[in-house]
């Protein structure tokens, strides 16, 4: 059966209907899943195996049969560990049908079909009894239901239900408990992901300061966690204001409550500063004694132990509702509130002589609701975008280039989503400024922004799609300067912002014949790299802790070949170190002074490999040439040539094309060059690419 899927094309802006096979969703799900990453997580696998062996032994020592319930079994790995550790029987629950089918095959291939029953249901639908899915309640509960925030994948309601209906009272649980840790920090860099800082512009008539509306200034932001590879955050980018403290623990061997609640700890800052951010991570004890521990702690907390790289569990950044100045040694209360799926934080100064009742009342007042964005800017701009808007050196590049092109009679049109360029153009002397905003949200945010800076009658917001722009929108004037960053909220891959070119083409009839377009052009760049770790997310596993999981590898490979592996995928490479094996190379150029051509843009060539290393893939990014001598890069910022270490633009995701040698796990003799072919289809706005290692 075929399904028609509607989607707005991020590059061309047009609505498209694509015919997709019925397996499309499922292939997407598997191709983008993190199963491979979990199976490569040696530390996790070893600790789970140790914990399971210990739990089975404790049950056997009591003279009982070991009956295991494994919720969210995935490949069936944990159930096979339990069976090989001597469990009498395992019920393996997996709700995702293709995954459950794979688990059945994997269990069979490893010879455990008589000991493991795979049940393709949500655990809350599983029945117990002579005619049920499970003959009896289990006495060992094994799960891996955690995300970076611990509870974001619904671990708490799942455990709550399992204790009520599926496991015996006093059962063994692997993991036995989880503990969440927090540390208070000051970090201009991370704080810049939540709020807009004032922007300084040197104009003809003195310095102008662009300020955010008070509503934005006081907005708590979004409730969703910001999860990142904190191990890639340089120590110079934050300052720790407190020691690491335990925030709360969950004991999985006892009944678990998922209802909303609060936890509170007392902190004493180890130094004075501005409390802005709560960094958080968790660890799990696989056994009651805490001897088998798996920790997500970042590098500065456990500097002596070797860090296990993983992408399925990272660390959390939480933004306090507002910045709080704190003094070394003063008493503070940090409150964590949670519902079933998320956590948020509040910081208060402790009050002298506060009674227990006051404290409880205070705790109740703090915790009522999760943060909700009221200013709408957090709905328009994601966190990296806030960082980009706050990047002063980037803003200076735009100011320098606008200075070169604007005249006192310039009529300026800006095409970008929620950009500061219209304000910069006005301050730098344009006679009139229009901005095209393509959504109600961006219109309302920009309206408030202009109002806060007394610019509401200086800049006109037009809410139409470029192809529907009429002369009356522009007061019958011709545009002499067309500007864009370009940035569009619909972009996922670097070249999706070429939507600017399609928009520029759509508004051609409104442009003066001598129009200046900024940026004047763009180019696509590419470099061959070896990743320190990111390759693992696409690499087959083969044998995991002695169990054959190649069925899973094949399944992922089929799904990648179904669509994804012929495409690049977006990753923020500041979080994923790599070294360059080739020089960066410009492969395609796009001339914004002209309209989008009818014909495709193609190129082919080869790039020499200068360093020894594993060629995991190609990284691609865009550079925008604002004027003849000013460019901004969305990718490579700096390359240190001896070792090939790369510094990437921290506000953008780069495109990564993994070579099939990673996906097939081939060992290649040292290639000396890579051949490439690129084709930009101007009708669809898509770039097809092919690579061959020589």
């Amino acid at each position: 059966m075929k399904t028609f899927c509607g989607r707005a094309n991020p590059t061309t802006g047009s609505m498209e209907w694509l015919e997709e096979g019925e397996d499309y969703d499922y292939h997407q799900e598997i191709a983008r899943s993190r199963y491979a990453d979990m199976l490569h997580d040696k530390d996790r696998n070893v600790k789970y195996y140790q914990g399971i062996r210990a739990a089975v032994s404790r049950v056997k020592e009591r003279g009982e049969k070991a009956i295991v319930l494994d919720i969210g079994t995935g490949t069936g790995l944990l159930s096979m560990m339990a069976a090989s550790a001597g469990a009498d029987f395992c019920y393996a629950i997996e709700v995702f049908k293709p995954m459950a089918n794979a688990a059945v095959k994997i269990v069979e291939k490893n010879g455990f079909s008589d000991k493991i029953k795979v049940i393709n249901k949500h655990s809350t639908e599983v029945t117990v009894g002579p005619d049920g899915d499970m003959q009896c309640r289990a006495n060992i509960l094994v799960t891996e239901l955690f995300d970076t925030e611990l509870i974001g994948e619904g671990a708490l309601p799942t455990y709550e239900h399992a204790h009520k209906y599926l496991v015996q009272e006093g059962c063994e649980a692997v993991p036995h408990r989880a503990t969440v840790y927090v540390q208070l920090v000051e970090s201009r860099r991370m704080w810049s992901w939540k709020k807009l800082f004032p922007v300084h512009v040197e104009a003809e008539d003195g310095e102008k300061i662009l300020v955010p509306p008070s509503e934005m200034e006081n907005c708590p932001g979004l409730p969703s966690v910001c999860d990142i590879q904190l191990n890639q955050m340089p120590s110079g980018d934050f300052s720790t204001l407190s020691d690491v403290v335990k925030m709360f623990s969950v004991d999985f061997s006892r009944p678990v409550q998922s209802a909303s609640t609060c936890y509170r700890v007392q902190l004493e800052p180890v130094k004075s500063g501005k409390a802005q951010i709560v960094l958080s991570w968790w660890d799990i004890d696989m056994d009651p004694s805490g001897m088998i521990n798996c920790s997500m702690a970042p590098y500065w907390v456990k500097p002596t132990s070797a860090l296990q790289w993983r992408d399925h569990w990272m660390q959390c950044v939480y933004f306090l509702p507002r910045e709080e100045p704190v003094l070394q040694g003063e008493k503070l209360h940090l409150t964590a509130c949670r519902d079933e799926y998320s956590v948020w934080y509040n910081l208060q100064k402790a009050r002298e002589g506060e009674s227990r009742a006051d404290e409880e009342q205070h705790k109740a007042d703090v915790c009522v609701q999760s943060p909700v964005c009221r200013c709408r800017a957090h709905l328009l701009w994601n966190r990296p975008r806030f960082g980009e808007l706050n990047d002063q050196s980037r803003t200076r590049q735009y100011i320098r280039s606008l200075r070169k092109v604007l005249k006192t009679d310039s009529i300026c049109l800006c095409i970008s989503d929620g950009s500061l360029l219209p304000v910069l153009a006005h301050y730098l002397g344009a006679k009139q400024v229009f901005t095209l905003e393509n959504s109600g949200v961006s219109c309302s945010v920009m309206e408030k922004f202009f109002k806060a800076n007394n610019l509401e009658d200086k800049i006109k917001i037009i809410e139409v799609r470029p192809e529907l722009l009429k002369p009356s929108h522009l007061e019958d004037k011709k545009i002499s300067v067309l500007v864009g960053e370009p940035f569009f909220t619909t972009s996922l891959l670097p070249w999706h912002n070429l939507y600017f070119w399609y928009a520029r083409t759509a508004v051609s009839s409104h442009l003066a014949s001598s129009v200046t377009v900024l940026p004047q052009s763009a180019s696509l760049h590419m470099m061959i790299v070896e990743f320190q770790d990111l390759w693992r997310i696409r690499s087959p596993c083969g044998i995991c802790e002695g169990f054959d999981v190649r069925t899973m590898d094949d399944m992922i490979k089929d799904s990648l070949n179904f669509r994804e592996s012929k495409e690049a995928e977006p990753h923020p490479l500041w979080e994923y170190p790599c070294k360059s094996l080739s020089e960066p190379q410009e492969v395609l150029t796009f001339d914004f002074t002209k309209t989008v051509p009818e014909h495709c843009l193609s190129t082919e060539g080869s790039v020499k490999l200068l360093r020894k290393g594993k060629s995991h893939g190609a990284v691609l990014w865009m550079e925008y040439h604002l004027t003849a001598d000013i460019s901004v890069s969305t990718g490579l910022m700096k390359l240190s040539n001896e070792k090939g270490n790369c510094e990437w633009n921290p506000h953008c995701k780069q495109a990564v094309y993994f070579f099939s040698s990673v996906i097939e796990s081939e060992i290649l003799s040292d290639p000396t060059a890579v051949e490439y072919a690129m084709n930009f289809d101007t009708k669809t706005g898509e770039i097809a690419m092919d690579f061959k290692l020589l």
Side-chain angles (χ1 to χ4, degrees):
M1 198 178 91
K2 297 277 187 188
T3 317
F4 279 102
C5 296
R7 69 156 197 166
N9 183 308
T11 315
T12 64
S14 60
M15 191 64 189
E16 294 174 346
W17 291 92
L18 304 174
E19 197 179 29
E20 297 289 7
E22 60 180 331
D23 287 344
Y24 171 68
D25 275 352
Y26 129 65
H27 282 301
Q28 291 264 80
E29 176 94 10
I30 289 173
R32 293 181 182 162
S33 71
R34 290 180 172 170
Y35 290 116
D37 173 40
M38 288 192 260
L39 294 173
H40 281 294
D41 187 341
K42 179 83 179 155
D43 180 57
R44 161 193 178 270
N45 301 337
V46 167
K47 304 277 172 64
Y48 260 102
Y49 209 168
Q50 289 171 349
I52 289 168
R53 281 197 194 105
V56 171
S57 298
R58 289 194 299 276
V59 169
K60 295 283 195 185
E61 279 162 18
R62 299 198 291 262
E64 298 171 26
K65 279 191 163 180
I67 307 296
V68 174
L69 172 63
D70 171 10
I71 302 179
T73 194
T75 55
L77 179 67
L78 303 183
S79 285
M80 294 190 295
M81 287 177 175
S84 67
D88 295 276
F89 201 77
C90 303
Y91 295 102
I93 318 285
E94 177 53 57
V95 69
F96 184 40
K97 190 162 178 48
M99 201 64 244
N101 296 344
V104 170
K105 288 181 190 153
I106 291 169
V107 164
E108 193 177 323
K109 195 170 182 180
N110 287 277
F112 291 110
S113 295
D114 57 333
K115 287 279 179 81
I116 299 172
K117 177 184 180 184
V118 178
I119 301 167
N120 176 211
K121 279 186 174 181
H122 199 285
S123 66
T124 54
E125 292 166 0
V126 169
T127 55
V128 179
D131 303 324
D133 300 308
M134 295 169 64
Q135 289 292 296
C136 60
R137 287 183 176 233
N139 54 9
I140 301 177
L141 176 56
V142 177
T143 67
E144 205 278 63
L145 300 167
F146 313 115
D147 66 347
T148 295
E149 199 173 17
L150 186 70
I151 64 171
E153 288 179 6
L156 297 178
T158 304
Y159 270 112
E160 185 172 39
H161 176 272
H163 275 287
K164 278 184 186 158
Y165 303 107
L166 306 177
V167 296
Q168 296 172 18
E169 197 178 327
C171 71
E172 298 289 343
V174 182
H176 180 80
R177 83 177 68 79
T179 305
V180 171
Y181 299 87
V182 293
Q183 190 167 28
L184 203 56
V185 305
E186 174 179 345
S187 168
R188 185 180 166 86
R189 177 176 176 187
M190 289 185 256
W191 197 234
S192 80
W193 301 341
K194 178 195 184 235
K195 59 190 294 170
L196 204 56
F197 300 152
V199 179
H200 297 258
V201 186
E202 288 295 338
E204 293 288 294
D205 50 348
E207 189 188 51
K208 306 279 191 210
I209 299 177
L210 197 58
V211 295
S214 60
E215 196 181 358
M216 200 184 290
E217 193 63 8
N218 301 316
C219 183
L222 288 179
S224 60
V225 66
C226 173
D227 53 344
I228 62 168
Q229 292 281 2
L230 212 42
N231 288 319
Q232 296 308 320
M233 181 66 70
S235 56
D237 282 354
F238 64 96
S239 170
T240 57
L241 301 180
S242 78
D243 292 327
V244 175
V245 289
K246 280 187 187 182
M247 196 72 223
F248 62 91
S249 280
V250 185
D251 181 339
F252 298 125
S253 69
R254 297 160 186 263
V256 169
Q257 305 289 319
S258 68
S260 299
T261 188
C262 290
Y263 310 93
R264 189 175 188 186
V265 294
Q266 191 163 303
L267 288 180
E268 286 187 19
V270 292
K271 68 168 172 222
S272 302
K274 290 181 266 191
Q276 298 164 328
I277 304 286
V278 175
L279 298 181
S280 177
W281 56 89
W282 48 263
D283 67 13
I284 43 182
D285 288 324
M286 297 297 184
D287 64 325
S289 69
M291 297 296 287
I292 309 166
N293 177 272
C294 185
S295 172
M296 307 308 125
Y299 66 89
W300 65 91
V301 178
K302 291 198 166 178
T304 51
S305 58
L307 289 170
Q308 164 75 50
W309 184 85
R310 41 173 76 95
D311 206 41
H312 56 112
W313 295 331
M314 295 184 275
Q315 293 80 26
C316 301
V317 175
Y318 294 98
F319 304 90
L320 287 170
R322 67 208 144 263
E323 183 177 280
E324 299 279 358
V326 297
L327 297 170
Q328 183 177 345
E330 75 175 323
K331 289 188 169 39
L332 304 172
H333 284 144
L334 181 67
T335 310
C337 307
R338 67 150 183 83
D339 53 22
E340 289 186 356
Y341 298 100
S342 60
V343 185
W344 58 98
Y345 287 87
N346 268 292
L347 186 70
Q348 254 95 17
K349 310 238 160 160
R351 302 179 206 169
E352 285 304 315
E354 191 174 43
S355 74
R356 193 63 208 251
D358 290 343
E359 202 177 303
E360 285 306 313
Q361 179 53 46
H362 199 49
K363 195 162 129 181
D365 295 344
V366 168
C367 281
V368 189
Q369 68 210 88
S370 73
V372 176
C373 169
R374 290 183 289 272
C375 73
R376 304 187 81 185
H378 299 91
L379 307 177
L380 174 64
W381 298 321
N382 62 14
R383 288 163 183 142
R385 174 63 172 164
F386 267 96
E388 182 169 68
L389 292 171
N390 284 321
D391 183 335
Q392 291 166 336
S393 62
R394 178 179 181 273
T395 303
R396 279 196 293 271
Q397 301 279 68
Y398 285 93
I399 290 173
R400 277 178 53 215
S401 50
L402 282 167
R403 271 213 182 95
K404 293 186 173 209
V405 302
L406 289 173
K407 303 188 178 79
T408 49
D409 61 352
S410 291
I411 308 292
C412 190
L413 172 65
C414 174
I415 304 181
S416 271
D417 289 350
S419 173
L420 305 184
L421 290 184
V423 183
L424 300 181
H426 169 73
Y427 282 155
L428 295 170
K431 183 178 178 185
Q432 195 166 2
V433 181
F434 299 95
T435 179
L436 213 55
E437 299 293 340
N438 72 2
S439 74
V441 175
S442 68
C443 282
S444 89
V445 171
M446 296 321 286
E447 236 162 62
K448 289 174 195 165
F449 198 82
F450 297 159
K451 207 167 181 179
N453 292 279
N454 303 313
L455 298 170
E456 62 269 47
D457 52 349
K458 305 281 195 297
I459 299 169
K460 184 178 170 190
I461 299 174
I462 306 169
E463 188 186 353
V464 296
R465 293 178 57 78
E467 61 274 19
L468 302 175
L469 189 66
K470 297 191 180 81
S472 57
H473 289 128
L474 302 170
E475 300 164 14
D476 294 317
K477 298 188 172 83
K478 289 284 186 197
I479 299 300
S480 59
V481 180
L482 177 68
V483 300
E485 294 184 36
F487 168 84
F488 301 99
T489 53
T490 47
S491 298
L492 294 171
L493 290 161
W495 47 89
H496 288 165
N497 283 324
L498 285 173
Y499 174 63
F500 176 75
W501 200 13
Y502 289 83
R504 175 258 180 267
T505 303
V507 302
S508 289
S509 63
H510 304 285
L511 306 179
S513 55
S514 60
V515 68
T516 300
V517 183
L518 182 156
Q520 58 185 32
S521 65
S523 49
L524 178 69
H525 294 248
M526 171 196 90
M527 190 167 73
I528 311 302
V529 303
E530 172 181 31
F531 285 106
Q532 193 176 300
D533 295 294
L534 188 64
W535 59 273
R536 296 172 201 277
I537 68 168
R538 292 286 168 260
S539 169
C541 219
I543 305 295
C544 181
E545 298 309 309
F547 303 99
D548 184 339
V549 292
R550 283 176 294 193
T551 304
M552 182 72 217
D553 294 337
D554 295 342
M555 184 169 153
I556 292 174
K557 204 160 78 184
D558 288 349
S559 289
L560 284 168
N561 289 337
F562 177 79
R563 172 68 53 88
E564 296 275 323
S565 72
K566 306 288 183 281
E567 294 180 349
E569 45 188 90
H571 291 284
L573 291 188
W574 75 266
E575 293 184 63
Y576 303 104
C578 60
K579 73 169 188 181
S580 75
L581 301 182
S582 74
E583 286 294 328
Q585 189 143 330
E586 183 183 286
V587 285
L588 282 173
T589 54
F590 311 92
D591 183 354
F592 296 160
T593 63
K594 302 189 169 73
T595 56
V596 176
E598 290 287 307
H599 60 85
C600 291
L601 303 178
S602 298
T603 183
E604 50 189 48
S606 76
V607 51
K608 266 203 202 69
L609 298 181
L610 310 173
R611 289 180 196 84
K612 289 241 180 289
K614 293 195 170 84
S615 301
H616 287 138
V619 176
L620 300 106
W621 66 93
M622 297 292 288
E623 289 189 8
Y624 294 101
H625 310 290
L626 306 181
T627 60
D629 58 345
I630 301 174
S631 295
V632 292
S633 169
T634 66
L636 193 66
M637 305 301 271
K638 213 162 78 197
L639 188 56
S640 73
N641 275 346
E642 323 73 76
K643 291 194 178 141
N645 294 335
C646 315
E647 193 180 303
W648 299 99
N649 182 323
H651 316 303
C652 304
K653 288 184 176 179
Q654 291 73 37
V656 176
Y657 185 106
F658 285 107
F659 294 154
S660 58
S661 53
V662 173
I663 296 158
E664 310 282 348
S665 204
E666 295 162 8
I667 306 298
L668 296 167
S669 57
D670 285 344
T672 53
V674 175
E675 260 181 11
Y676 62 87
M678 308 263 166
N679 181 53
F680 177 65
D681 183 338
T682 53
K683 298 274 182 294
T684 65
E686 285 176 9
I687 297 183
M689 53 189 83
D690 201 25
F691 295 91
K692 196 165 157 201
L693 278 67
L694 302 176

